[in-house]
Amino acid sequence: PKVAILREQGVNSHVEMAYAFHKAGFEAHDVHMTDLQSGRAKLANFQGLVACGGFSYGDTLGAGIGWARSITFNPALAEQFKGFFDRADTFGLGVCNGCQMFAELADIIPGAQDWPRFTTNQSERFEARLSMVEVLESPSLFLQGMAGSRLPIAVAHGEGYANFKHRGNPAQALGAMRFVDNHGQATEAYPFNPNGSAGGLTAVTTADGRFTAMMPHPERVFRNVQMSWTSGDINATSPWLRVWQNARKWVG
């Protein structure tokens, strides 16, 4: 199945993301926003869409907001993305900067109306480290069979705070992952939770599970050698590869 590895200028995690999809049995295509704007690529030709992490527009317009506005302010592109999201056979993943971008497109993603906007970390600093997350029970097609797992994961963001003051509904948003402390409890305490989001929330999904937005970077830790510690074979893949294997299984 074809998946568009979507990037904008400043995005820097597209190669790892493409490789993870390749490992799971997808045909990964490098798609820059200019490819969509010029018509060189069309989302109608893809079953999956992944907005990758990085710093689109240097985050000078707000994390992921400039990227999203390049779509919403372009009627043809907005229609193309809406058409993709509305198809029953498609799926999408937004990671880090891509998570912020997806959150800004929530109005055209079916079932994403309660998602928050992601704003400046409570520490008011860029945070980059391995953090511990717990996978929650959710409809997310990417995280099926993983609920209850507590795993290290890479984080690298300056604006990952799930902010419901601007948009969304914390009572209705479907959480998919949360930061936990060294006792395995959901936490807002720094540095266990790098951005301070309430309840440790760091991933959201839709009721049908087709679209998920997450702040941490699973594509940077899908090999055991990338973990902080493992008792497993360092040459083997880590449990995070299941994210992409689940997507492949969902496609059928």
Side-chain angles (χ1 to χ4, degrees), residues 4 12 50-51 54 59 80 104 114 121 141 144 148 181 193 196 201-202 217-218 220 224 239 246:
N12 57 25
V50 186
D59 282 354
Q80 187 174 163
E104 293 301 313
D114 295 314
N121 297 340
L141 67 87
Q144 291 307 294
D181 61 20
N193 179 332
L201 181 68
T202 193
H217 289 269
R220 295 184 182 179
N224 276 339
N246 277 337

Side-chain angles (χ1 to χ4, degrees), residues 96-110:
C96 196
N97 203 219
C99 168
Q100 296 153 346
M101 185 271 262
F102 262 37
E104 293 301 313
L105 295 180
D107 288 338
I108 62 172
I109 299 176

Side-chain angles (χ1 to χ4, degrees), residues 77-168:
L77 268 188
E79 190 61 32
Q80 187 174 163
F81 273 81
K82 188 177 186 305
F84 178 88
F85 293 138
D86 285 343
R87 281 166 47 199
D89 66 334
T90 59
F91 66 88
L93 175 65
V95 173
C96 196
N97 203 219
C99 168
Q100 296 153 346
M101 185 271 262
F102 262 37
E104 293 301 313
L105 295 180
D107 288 338
I108 62 172
I109 299 176
Q113 68 278 354
D114 295 314
W115 289 4
R117 172 174 286 174
F118 291 88
T119 61
T120 305
N121 297 340
Q122 295 298 282
S123 68
E124 297 188 349
R125 292 184 290 190
F126 177 78
E127 305 288 347
R129 66 175 68 87
L130 279 174
S131 294
M132 187 71 75
V133 294
E134 178 183 21
V135 179
L136 302 174
E137 188 69 52
S138 82
S140 175
L141 67 87
F142 296 97
L143 300 171
Q144 291 307 294
M146 297 177 69
S149 299
R150 294 173 186 154
L151 297 164
I153 194 168
V155 297
H157 57 260
E159 301 186 43
Y161 176 69
N163 193 334
F164 288 95
K165 293 179 182 177
H166 295 281
R167 62 162 297 122

Side-chain angles (χ1 to χ4, degrees), residues 152-190:
I153 194 168
V155 297
H157 57 260
E159 301 186 43
Y161 176 69
N163 193 334
F164 288 95
K165 293 179 182 177
H166 295 281
R167 62 162 297 122
N169 182 342
Q172 298 296 323
L174 297 176
M177 285 197 307
R178 64 185 179 185
F179 290 111
V180 294
D181 61 20
N182 55 332
H183 297 289
Q185 301 301 307
T187 184
E188 296 165 22
Y190 183 87

